[in-house]
Amino acid sequence: MLRLAICLLLIQTYVYYMHYSEDTSVIKLTVAAIWLFDTLHDSFMCYTLYYYLVKSKRPLPVAVVLNRYR
């Protein structure tokens, strides 16, 4: 599922740069920054899931299980 999201974002970014080449540099840099930060976020999520579900033999932290951050 995460691969699908990454592929869709990549396709959207590619289509944007192909169809809206006349946009200003600020907008193009904003799109590139969003793509970069989203890719980093997905990478960190994959690593966190790998660490807690595969590498670590401990149970998940309560914050991850409950999805609450207080």
Side-chain angles (χ1 to χ4, degrees):
M1 191 64 140
L2 187 60
R3 273 189 177 172
L4 178 64
I6 291 171
C7 289
L8 287 176
L9 179 67
L10 183 62
I11 291 170
Q12 280 184 322
T13 305
Y14 176 77
V15 168
Y16 166 76
Y17 279 108
M18 290 295 122
H19 287 101
Y20 298 101
S21 59
E22 67 277 354
D23 279 350
T24 63
S25 301
V26 175
I27 294 175
K28 288 180 181 180
L29 286 174
T30 303
V31 169
I34 289 171
W35 175 79
L36 176 69
F37 289 136
D38 189 56
T39 303
L40 284 173
H41 176 260
D42 291 341
S43 300
F44 290 144
M45 278 181 38
C46 286
Y47 177 76
T48 302
L49 287 172
Y50 170 76
Y51 178 79
Y52 283 116
L53 297 176
V54 176
K55 192 174 181 182
S56 176
K57 300 297 182 193
R58 297 174 292 169
L60 290 173
V62 175
V64 174
V65 173
L66 298 177
N67 197 16
R68 292 185 194 167
Y69 301 99
R70 292 183 184 199

